[in-house]
Structure formats: C-alpha cells, structure tokens
Amino acid sequence: MLRFALIGAGRIGAVHGASIAAHPGASLALVADPDLEAAGRLASRFGAHATADVTDVYTAGDVDAVIVGSPTPLHVEHLTAAVAAGKAVLVEKPVDLDIARVDACIAAVGQDARRVMVGFNRRFDPAFAEVRARSGEVGPVEQVTIISRDPAPPPAQYVASSGGLFRDMAIHDLDMARFLVGEIASVHAVGQRVGTVPEPDVDGAVTTLVAESGAVVTIVNSRHCATGYDQRLEVFGALGSLEVGNVRATTVRHHGATTSAATGPYLDFFLERCATAYARELDHFVTAITAGEAPSPTLADGRAALELADAATLSAATGETVRLRSSAPMEKETV
Amino acid sequence: MLRFALIGAGRIGAVHGASIAAHPGASLALVADPDLEAAGRLASRFGAHATADVTDVYTAGDVDAVIVGSPTPLHVEHLTAAVAAGKAVLVEKPVDLDIARVDACIAAVGQDARRVMVGFNRRFDPAFAEVRARSGEVGPVEQVTIISRDPAPPPAQYVASSGGLFRDMAIHDLDMARFLVGEIASVHAVGQRVGTVPEPDVDGAVTTLVAESGAVVTIVNSRHCATGYDQRLEVFGALGSLEVGNVRATTVRHHGATTSAATGPYLDFFLERCATAYARELDHFVTAITAGEAPSPTLADGRAALELADAATLSAATGETVRLRSSAPMEKETV
Amino acid sequence: MLRFALIGAGRIGAVHGASIAAHPGASLALVADPDLEAAGRLASRFGAHATADVTDVYTAGDVDAVIVGSPTPLHVEHLTAAVAAGKAVLVEKPVDLDIARVDACIAAVGQDARRVMVGFNRRFDPAFAEVRARSGEVGPVEQVTIISRDPAPPPAQYVASSGGLFRDMAIHDLDMARFLVGEIASVHAVGQRVGTVPEPDVDGAVTTLVAESGAVVTIVNSRHCATGYDQRLEVFGALGSLEVGNVRATTVRHHGATTSAATGPYLDFFLERCATAYARELDHFVTAITAGEAPSPTLADGRAALELADAATLSAATGETVRLRSSAPMEKETV
Amino acid sequence: MLRFALIGAGRIGAVHGASIAAHPGASLALVADPDLEAAGRLASRFGAHATADVTDVYTAGDVDAVIVGSPTPLHVEHLTAAVAAGKAVLVEKPVDLDIARVDACIAAVGQDARRVMVGFNRRFDPAFAEVRARSGEVGPVEQVTIISRDPAPPPAQYVASSGGLFRDMAIHDLDMARFLVGEIASVHAVGQRVGTVPEPDVDGAVTTLVAESGAVVTIVNSRHCATGYDQRLEVFGALGSLEVGNVRATTVRHHGATTSAATGPYLDFFLERCATAYARELDHFVTAITAGEAPSPTLADGRAALELADAATLSAATGETVRLRSSAPMEKETV
C-alpha cells in the first residue's frame, strides 16, 4: 500500500485524490495547501489529514509518495524537498518554465530521479497508448499528425505567467511527439493571433518537428474549438496508419432532413476526456515505485519537452528552423 | 454488339438508354412507346429510331434484345411476344401482380426462359453484391436485417394499382432475402398505417422470413424517410457481420458547437443511388446473352419474390404466419 | 445518507457495492449471502458487515434500503419481506419467471410498491436515455429497431432455469420497447436454433411488437456475437431518426492495405458497457427514495415486461400473433 | 455545342474524351498526337478524327476549344498557338515548370487569357467544392489541414523531369490552399526522404503556409500510402469545422472477432476518385466559354500555385521561411 500526500488542493489535486481512493494499492494520508480550508475539504472526502504547512509532507512518517500539484513556480522546490526527504514524487508538468532551473533540479536530484515521474498524463490516455503499442503495424513511423485544440482559451491572468502557448499547451503534444518517434532534431513553428488571448501570446500554432529517425511530426494547435476538446492524432508508415478520433459522451447519432449521422460535440475538457488517463498514470507510478523500478516519463522527458517548447517559441518569433544540439546524455523514457 | 430495343420511353427507359449508350458491347436501335413524341425524344438522344407500334420491336431485324419497361400490366404480353420473336428480354420487375399470370407466362416461355432476365437491379448494387460475395466471412448466415425506406410515398394513383407496399416496394427486399439466404419457408408480416398513402394500403411494415436454411430475415419498410433513400442491410453469422450503410453525395462532415460529424442526407432517390446498379445489371445481361448463357435473376426468381409478397400481404391482413408450399422445381438464381 | 444492504454477493452484488461506495448519498452497511465467505469478501471491500442470514437484513436498524440480487426464484420472497420490514427495495430483474407469482407479489406489496424499483438498468444507459429524452426530434415514433446480442451464450445450467431467451435476455429489449413507445397491443416472435444452448431453448429470435400508439418495434436477438456485446437501437419517425451505436474501448482506427477505419471490437460484456448505467440507476433510486418519491421502473413495469416475454415465448412456439388483453390498470413507468 | 480538339491521346486525354462525349453541350471533333495510332484509337471511340500533326488543331474550322494534354514542356507552346488561332483552351496543370516561361506565356496571351482555363481539377471535386461553398459556416477560416498522399510513387523517369514533389504533387494542395484562404504571404516546407523515389527528390513533405488573411494552412504529403489515394482536408474556424474524408468503393463495413467497422481501402488512384471532378471541370469550362465568360482557375492561378511550389522547394532546401513578394496585380480566381 503506497501512502500519498498531495501538495495542492486545487482541481488537479481533487482528480488525483479520487484516483488514489479508487486504487487498491494506494491510500491518501495528507493534503497540504496554504488554503487550509481547501486542503481540509479535499482531505475529508478521502479520509486524509490536512495541513497548511508543506513541510509537514516531508516529515510525515506515513507518507511514501508525494504528488506535486502546486503552482508551476513551486514545482522544483516541492519536488526537490520531497525527494530529499526520501519520498517518491509524481510532479505535474511542466517541471518549470525556465530550462536552467530544470537543469539545476535534475542536478540536485541526481540518482534519485529514479523516484520521480513527470505527469504527462496524455501518454496514459488509452487511445494514445494503444497507438504507441501498435505503431509497429504501420511499419517505421514516417509521419505523425497531431491536432490539439482546447475548447476555450485560459483566463488572461493564467496566460500572463504560463510561458505562452508552446509551453502551456503544445508541450503535451511535443511530449507526445517524442513518445511516438523519439528524439527530435529540428523544430519549426508558426504562431497565429486570432485575439482570444492577450498579446504577445498566440492562440494558434503549427509546429513541424523532424525526428532523428527522419520522421516528421506536425502539430496543429488552437486555444479555442467550438465543438469541444479536439484531440486527434495519426501515425503513418509504409504499411498503413493508426488514427485517434475524438470522444463523445454517447454514441447517439441523429439523422434529420438536412443532415445525417450527427453526433454530440466532443467531451468538453481535459478532466472528462482524461479521467481514465489520470487513473492509469497513477497506476503506473504506484506499480513502478512499489516494485522499486523507475517510473516514466522521467525528469529528462520533462526537460526535453520544455526544450522543444522553447525552440518552437523561438522559431515562431524568428521564422527560422531551430536545430537542437545533440541530445544530452540523459536517460530516455521507457514506458 | 448486342442491339437493343426499349419498350417504354419513361423514366426507367431513359436510365436503360444511357446505360446502353455507355456500354461498349451494346447499342440502342429502337424505342417503342404509344406516346410517339416521348419515344422520339429518347431515341434521338441515343441515335435510335422511334415507333408508336410495339410490334415493330418484334419484327425489327436489327434488334437482338428487348428491355421491357412498359406499365406492369403489359409486361407479360410484351415479354412473351418478344421471346416468341426470338429476342432476349430484360423485363422490369414485377413480372406481373397476379401470380397465376406469371405462372402462365413461365409456361408459355418454356425453355426460352434462358433468354429472359428480371430487373432486380438491387442485386447489382456494388455494396449488396459485395456482401453476398463476402458472406462466407461471417460463417453460415444466421440473421439478416434489412432497413428499406423510400424518401417519400408514391402518388395515390400509383398506389391504387401497385398491388400495395409488399408488392410494389418490399418486393425488392424479399428478393434480396432470397439472394442472401436462399429459399424461404415461412413469412410473417405486420403492416402499419401512418397516413401517407390511401387506404387500404399500408405505409410501413415489418416482415419476418424464416429461410429453409434456418436463417431469419427481418425487413423494416417505410414509405417515407426525411433523410432520404434509406437502404441498409446487415448479414450476421457466428464469425461476425457485414453491413451496408447509406450513401451520401460527398464525404463532407460538419462539426459545430452542438453537433459533430454531421454528414449530408442520404442520396435522394433510387435512380441516384442505383445508377451504378443499373449499369452493372445491363452489363450482366449483355455478357450472359452474348456468351449464350442464361442471365440471372430469372423468371423463377421474379415469381418467387411475388409469392413472398403475396404471403406477406396475407399475413399482414390475418396476423398469421404463412408457411410456403415446398418450392416448385424451378431453376434457382445463380448470380 | 441512504444506508444499504445487499442480498446476494455475486457478480451483480459487487457492481452495486461499487456504485454505492462511489455515491455521495449512499453507504453500504450489510451484505447477506448464504455463502458467508463471499459475503465477507464483498463487505470488507466496502467497509460493511456480512451475514449468512438474510433475515438480518430486515431487522437491521442501520439499513434503509435493500438491493435484492439473489437468484431469481428468491426475488419475490426477499422483496416482499424487505418491503414489509419498511425498507425501500431495488430488485434485480426479472421479478419472477411466473407471472402469477408476480401478481401475488404486487398484491402483497400494495401501496408500498412506491418504495420498490425494478432494475432495468438499460433504461439508465446514457445513450438509450438520451434517445428517449430526444425522441420528440423524430416526431411521433413510428418504428423502433433493436439489435441486441450477447457476446456468448450463458452456461447450460443457467439456461435450464432461466425461462428461456425471451425471459432471460429479450426481456431487457421488451422493457426498452415500452420505455420508448408505451404499452404494447400485440406480439409476434420467431425463435431460431443455432445450437449454442440446449434444447428446447432458442439462441436467436426476432420479435415484432405493435404498440397501442401504432408504432412497430422489431427486436433481433442472438445469444452469441463474435464482435462483442452488440447493443444497437434506432427510433424512426416522420422527421428523422435517432440511432445508438456500439461502444469500443478506444477511438483508435486502423487503416491498412486491405481495409480502412477498422476499430476494436465492441466492449465485451454488459458489466463493462453498463457500468455507467448501473451507477445512474442507483443514483435515480437514491434520489427518489431520499425525496420520498416513487422510483421507476416500477413493479408494474417488471410485470409488463414479463407479460411480453410470455407472449413472445408463446408466439414463437405457435407461430401465431398474441394479442394482449387491454392493459391492467397499473401505474405506468414515469422515468 | 462546343466542338473540341484534344492534344494528347494519353490517359488524361481519354478521361477528357469521355467527359466530352457525356456532356450534352460538347462534342469531340479531333484528337492530335504524334503517336497517330493512339490518336486514332481514342478518336474512334468517340467518333472524332485523328491527326499526328498538332497544327491541324489550330487550323480546323470545326474546332472551338482545345484541351492541352500534351507533356508539360509543350503546354506553353500548344496553349499559346491555340489561343492565337482563336480557340478557347483548357490546359492541364502545371502550365510549365519554369515560372519565367509562365510569365512569358501570360504576357503573350494578354487579354485572351479570358479564354484560358487551367485544369486544377481538384477544385471541382464535389467534396472540396462543398467545403469552399460552405466555409462561412465555420466563421473566418483560421486553420486548414490538408493530408494528401498518393497510393504509390510515380516512375523514376517521371520524377526526373517532374520538378520534384512540390511541383508535381503538392501543387494541387497549394492551389487548394489558395482556393480556400486566398493569397499566401509566407511558405515553410520540410522534405523527407524515405527512399521511394530517386534523389534528390523527396517522398514526403510538410508545408506550412501563412495566408495574407492570417489563416495558417498545413499540407502533409507522401508519395506512398498503403490504403490508397489519401485525400483529406479540414477547414477550421471559431464556429466549427468542415472535414473531407476519403472515398471507398462501397459503404460495406465488416465486424469480426478482433476488429469492427472495417471498410475497404480508399479508392486507388486519382482517375477513380476524380472522375466526377473532371466532368464538373469540363462542364464549368463549357458553360463559361459558351456564355462568353472567363473560366476559372485562370492562368494567374496556375502561376500562383507554381510560385508556391518554387517557394516550398526552396524552403525545404534551406530550412528558411520564404516570404512572398506582394502579389502581382493579376486577376484572382473567382470560381
């Protein structure tokens, strides 16, 4: 039984709390949040204790593992302290918006990185995971096309400190690219402004990645989509292709006088679409940590996605293709 | 080169005329219709002669084959005379509405039935034909479900002399049942009245057929369908199923705020959906006759479908299941 | 907080136990099963007590509501005793296989039927419920087509006492027919034997129902389906149709050299497909009982479905259409 | 009645010959090809004369319009001569591979460009045309995604003189981009080599176009696709999206033990998929010329697509984004 503490009692904390409660090999012991009332509400739902003092997490004797769901600028501090206290850590992405701080974190954590996992939950989406598992059916992957659109833009204040579209949104798709085709050799991006978020951020983008394998990955992003959370992906090779479509609430189709086969809109936001992914992500973490194995995606994966987001941000600003320095000698993800 | 005469210059005559013109092994020589102007219009489009006197068809030296597209009550007369004159004949369905007259026709034609084909064009629809050709993939057929709806009811005057829904519309589906599972042992039907056609005809029906093989066939009919010409079919066996869906004008799908994946309505009427089927039907007839082989579906198939329509009509009136006498020793279709 | 006892610690008991645990307004207090070990295993998963003596359920002071998941022949006894003890009851379908016993049960329960709900879980499937809620979009319902196939036949010993396909399997579809078009005026059924279950039961059937409204409902059943749990439905009227398709584990589609758009098989059995339905069913029961309102489907709905199953069984044996006596003056379902 | 001459008796000539024969307002008078036997074979199928001397086309009194289907290097010569002889001209794309020669051609033709149409047949595909016609339904177009793959690479000798993937294949998609979002401001392209065609050509590419309107267009190309001719497109805006899917020979879907909903592969090559498009293209040309109006796409459209292909070729070689000079003051297409 892996005993968890949650740092952060917000929306994502509640999702992880429910996953822990439903997992036969996990239990929730502690919820830490400066907003003690929020921490208490969440803790009571799952029979855990609450604290406003995050250091209680590091010293708690009944806590084996920590989920870091605090605001992004605090991720590195909380992650480093929890690891130093001997805990296993599942940290929400991004590790940090500043790649220098991520590098410092990786250096500080050292070999203990084996106890750290970065929450790229989309790798655990049943459909995306199925495509990776079956990708051999298409032969060596030649082309990947990802369409990834949010239903609606985030609040202006979020965008102000999010690092921009490539770091707050496309980063999931950049990680998915590495998940499917491995290391990336060059990045080109185009950003577009439609006006749904304040300048200088963009609300649409097309990013083209060339992998070291020769595969080309295209990512089309938008901050808004009237039909819902638009998450599609296609992997293409000489033998065929595998395609992930959108998810609807039901299979009902309407046939009327002017249209046929009309289904409902896509599920509306990532917590709905990703509920299963979060539960599977937690299960992977619990299973790996319990078995003494390193979970994945790793801190190195977290750094690599941020490096791609930085490159895309630069390319969108300059119009130039950014060639990545040969990959640093870090462990690669192995899911 | 098979030289054709058309009896009947109506809508179906025009379809056959175009198929003949497009066929490299066929040519149109003569169009006969009491309405000489209509005959002339059609003939001139395809470089043929026109006549108001149907007997010209039988005596024409440059006519090898005749397509009988006259009103149903005249089918037997025109078919019998053309066969007697040595012509090959493709007769529109139904052969006649009175099974006694069909039996007399079969007796009169005798061995020359080898030169006669009945126009159950739906057997030549590429999708339905594919299902039959691949039906072994599902194992022995256990269940067939046919949904067959017209976009709109026929004119009242047509219904008055059509023999009713089972003989004028379901007959295509009854033939399809035999095409897919062979001879039928019993028939049960329920008719329903919605009010789109004059009494005593029905505008909806569900017919259940038990085949000699043990397969059960369900046919759901309606005389109206807001979304267009609704023609679906499913063949089910122990290994799986094969399904025919509806046809749209294009593959365009619309995704908006309240619905997704909405396509256009189904193609609107049988001439659109069946254009390919008519061309393939003609090709089969031309190929068989040219090779001296018997085309199919045969006169016996035409009789069998009418027998099923009669049984369904009776069952709908009485609520009883109609057991068919053991099939007469007639040749079975061999497409 | 509605406190539950479960009678029966089998598969369905476990499903309900999990639904209760996940429901914020429900808790599980007691599990009763003659197999005390099974009861204990289930109870311990959800923090409840266990007993081998079903009478403990009736006398327990901390039990407000009882879920009757015992074998069918015990349903009436357990239901009647629990109601007499003042409990609310959710009884699995069928209430009983003998309509005379059901009538006696209804008489015994009397006005307390307001506290009894019959577990036709399929009414709570999100897709089927959506179709009913939106059925006005098609105009007055004219035709309903239900295709309902199990992945594999039940064990021979189950079939021996199940009452046969119409009572153990089609009864869900017969209830769905009433759910969608109201009371039924006549029933015709055809059974077919493929050999997957022992005689005299059938393993396939087509049932045709004519509703008092004039709507015609067709139900196609099979006890086996290679592709999984095949549950489709279509409601058709003058303005269009609404269709429920099958559910797959993911949206992944494969495109290869010989086929395209191939998805995975349907979800494999009813517990997977129906997980949401069971949770929604429980929620309706908890909400209604907590509010002092009568839940639905009612005992009368349970009786009506059994009456249709009896009629279908008779029709399949005789080939005759069974006309139902005018409906008894029982309350109608009102979901 | 518009009387046609065909220059070129190859595959595309045969397609146009059939379209002319089927068109009520067109007739075929003459086929010119240095291979007189090929010209004769084609001419005799449609009742036309044949010649090995292309100058007969210009002097023929019974020829109003010329379809230039000769090898690309001869397009400009044949087009210019035919226009000078007073004929209307439908020229296959590309006009030429050298933009300087195209400019010279445009200058030579002058105002007679009103009688010239360039054969971007894909604009006349019913689905693509429907998307353009309905594009207002999505609001101002923000993003267009085009996936365009050939079933198999062309012969090596074709590739040697084709100008490369961007000029021989992507040019259709580049024209489609302009068709959907208007003039293009910048081009970025990535080419990839998989080894299906000889160097230095590429067999895959991703091209990103930024339109003057701010819309971003992504084009994913491959020279091979196991599943057939893969032609999809999606137009996205604030209100929703419109999507064009692939076309199959029939609607048959197979459901088996391991997969469900499997359809056949996509139609295999462009002549199949585009048969309707060619007929509609010819109809537009006949209608416009007969009415004395300028057909579209124009010579200027042909030049613009080549300019984009040149830019993409350059970008793929350098990795740099190519900014286009502000559009020349040529007429824009107006279909």
Side-chain angles (χ1 to χ4, degrees), chain B residues 36 42 131 144-145 147 184 193 201 235 265 290-291 297 300 305:
Chain B
L36 184 58
L42 186 56
V131 165
V144 176
T145 310
I147 294 181
I184 302 302
R193 288 200 41 75
D201 197 13
V235 169
T290 304

Side-chain angles (χ1 to χ4, degrees), chain D residues 120 123 132 175-183 294-302 304 330-335:
Chain D
F120 284 120
R123 293 190 181 202
R132 174 164 147 141
D175 179 64
M176 185 55 55
R178 289 185 65 249
F179 185 57
L180 292 169
V181 300
E183 297 309 322
S296 164
T298 63
L299 268 181
D301 292 318
M330 294 186 298
E331 56 183 315
K332 303 289 167 59
E333 57 72 27
T334 53
V335 160

Side-chain angles (χ1 to χ4, degrees), chain A residues 108-131:
Chain A
V109 167
Q111 289 305 312
D112 293 332
R114 284 178 50 81
R115 279 186 276 122
V116 181
M117 175 170 160
V118 177
F120 284 121
N121 63 287
R122 211 171 292 176
R123 292 189 181 203
F124 298 93
D125 175 272
F128 293 149
E130 179 181 341
V131 164

Side-chain angles (χ1 to χ4, degrees), chain A residues 91-319:
Chain A
V91 62
E92 275 303 316
K93 61 93 238 174
V95 178
D96 195 273
L97 291 176
D98 177 350
I99 203 159
R101 293 199 69 208
V102 176
D103 283 340
C105 172
I106 289 175
V109 167
Q111 289 305 312
D112 293 332
R114 284 178 50 81
R115 279 186 276 122
V116 181
M117 175 170 160
V118 177
F120 284 121
N121 63 287
R122 211 171 292 176
R123 292 189 181 203
F124 298 93
D125 175 272
F128 293 149
E130 179 181 341
V131 164
R132 175 165 146 142
R134 295 175 58 188
S135 67
E137 295 178 27
V138 309
V141 173
E142 298 179 12
Q143 298 180 327
V144 176
T145 311
I146 298 173
I147 294 181
S148 172
R149 297 182 178 123
D150 281 346
Q157 79 185 77
Y158 172 88
V159 173
S161 64
S162 75
L165 180 144
F166 295 104
R167 293 189 190 94
D168 73 25
M169 177 184 174
I171 198 164
H172 280 291
D173 308 302
L174 295 165
D175 179 65
M176 185 55 54
R178 289 184 65 248
F179 184 59
L180 292 169
V181 301
E183 297 308 323
I184 302 302
S186 73
V187 177
H188 178 271
V190 164
Q192 67 181 146
R193 289 200 40 75
V194 177
T196 71
V197 291
E199 292 194 67
D201 197 13
V202 293
D203 30 25
V206 173
T207 307
T208 308
L209 312 172
V210 179
E212 293 181 357
S213 71
V216 179
V217 180
T218 307
I219 301 169
V220 179
N221 289 117
S222 175
R223 285 202 182 278
H224 67 155
C225 179
T227 315
Y229 188 49
D230 187 8
Q231 292 296 325
R232 286 170 289 152
L233 177 152
E234 178 181 299
V235 168
F236 169 83
L239 304 181
S241 59
L242 285 160
E243 181 193 3
V244 175
N246 280 309
V247 179
R248 278 87 172 172
T250 73
T251 63
V252 173
R253 306 200 299 171
H254 177 260
H255 311 269
T258 56
T259 60
S260 64
T263 60
Y266 319 141
L267 284 188
D268 205 39
F269 205 42
F270 78 102
L271 292 183
E272 280 185 77
R273 161 93 189 235
C274 299
T276 308
Y278 279 106
R280 287 167 44 113
E281 177 189 81
L282 184 85
D283 180 56
H284 171 74
F285 179 74
V286 169
T287 302
I289 295 300
T290 302
E293 292 169 1
S296 166
T298 64
L299 269 180
D301 292 320
R303 182 196 188 282
L306 181 61
E307 186 181 27
L308 295 177
D310 286 353
T313 304
L314 178 63
S315 176
T318 63

